[in-house]
Amino acid sequence: MNTMKTKTNRVRTSVAGTAVLLMLLSIFSFQTYAQNKWSFEVRPGVDFATKKLGGADLKTGFGFEGTFAYRFMPHLAVYAGWSWNRFGSDQSLDFEETGYTYGLQFIHPIGDSNIEFLARAGATSNHIEVEDGDQLIADTGHGFGFQLESGVVIPIGESWNLLPSIRYRSLSRDIDFGQTTTAVDLNYVSIGVGFAKTF
């Protein structure tokens, strides 16, 4: 009877040990597979409007963006993030564009160098706020726009990269000023440098 219990305990211990070993191997394999699949980037930039916003001439703007990306193929990733950009104008009004961005990211080595080519194409879900000093005058509500981007990826450490790039962004919305509705287009070129960490 004791011999039977001992054998049963040994079998249980062996099965439990095998299960733990398999679980650890699975976790290790997943971590190895997922290594450097993710990245987080912070990108400050300077913005240059390509046309008037309504009747306002926009001054040089500035802003920043934070995005996460997941690489699901050797050179292709999906990204999503949040951005904020602000423009002054010749009418003493300020315009802020904030919201979400998402799309596809393509990164490919350039020849035999460590520098890689970067291209992004995506959509935005943003809104435009009109401010007079600290007072909010109007808000367009969120709507869809698009962006296109091109640049390079320059490694600066084991898991850190610089991403200088140029971006074109477009957003069309309606602004309500009291009883008046004005259709506006916010189109601008942004030049910035991203700082990205892969993990």
Side-chain angles (χ1 to χ4, degrees):
M1 187 72 172
N2 289 336
T3 304
M4 193 70 164
K5 284 184 179 180
T6 302
K7 287 183 178 178
T8 302
N9 289 337
R10 284 179 182 168
V11 169
R12 287 179 181 168
T13 302
S14 177
V15 169
T18 303
V20 169
L21 180 60
L22 289 173
M23 186 175 67
L24 290 174
L25 286 174
S26 297
I27 292 171
F28 178 75
S29 298
F30 175 77
Q31 288 178 340
T32 300
Y33 174 77
Q35 187 176 12
N36 294 330
K37 295 266 183 188
W38 290 92
S39 65
F40 176 69
E41 177 186 352
V42 175
R43 180 189 186 272
V46 179
D47 307 323
F48 305 94
T50 60
K51 61 184 295 186
K52 289 185 176 183
L53 182 67
D57 279 316
L58 298 182
K59 299 177 181 178
T60 300
F62 61 93
F64 67 90
E65 179 177 278
T67 57
F68 281 98
Y70 175 73
R71 181 169 53 86
F72 61 93
M73 292 179 66
H75 304 293
L76 198 60
V78 291
Y79 71 86
W82 182 88
S83 66
W84 171 88
N85 292 278
R86 183 180 182 91
F87 297 86
S89 75
D90 64 342
Q91 298 184 1
S92 73
L93 296 176
D94 295 322
F95 297 87
E96 286 190 6
E97 178 208 30
T98 58
Y100 307 96
T101 179
Y102 45 89
L104 291 174
Q105 170 179 287
F106 176 76
I107 295 178
H108 195 278
I110 300 174
D112 295 328
S113 71
N114 290 330
I115 298 175
E116 298 176 297
F117 170 73
L118 164 71
R120 290 183 180 134
T124 61
S125 178
N126 289 358
H127 68 126
I128 301 169
E129 294 181 345
V130 185
E131 299 178 351
D132 186 358
D134 293 331
Q135 183 178 359
L136 178 64
I137 296 176
D139 187 337
T140 65
H142 283 78
F144 291 106
F146 72 91
Q147 70 175 28
L148 300 171
E149 185 174 353
S150 179
V152 293
V153 180
I154 304 171
I156 56 173
E158 185 176 341
S159 59
W160 290 91
N161 297 299
L162 283 179
L163 290 80
S165 67
I166 184 167
R167 165 188 297 172
Y168 177 77
R169 183 176 276 187
S170 178
L171 177 66
S172 298
R173 304 299 298 142
D174 290 335
I175 297 179
D176 294 325
F177 293 103
Q179 302 299 317
T180 305
T181 299
T182 303
V184 297
D185 296 316
L186 178 59
N187 299 324
Y188 62 93
V189 173
S190 174
I191 298 174
V193 179
F195 301 87
K197 165 78 172 173
T198 59
F199 53 96

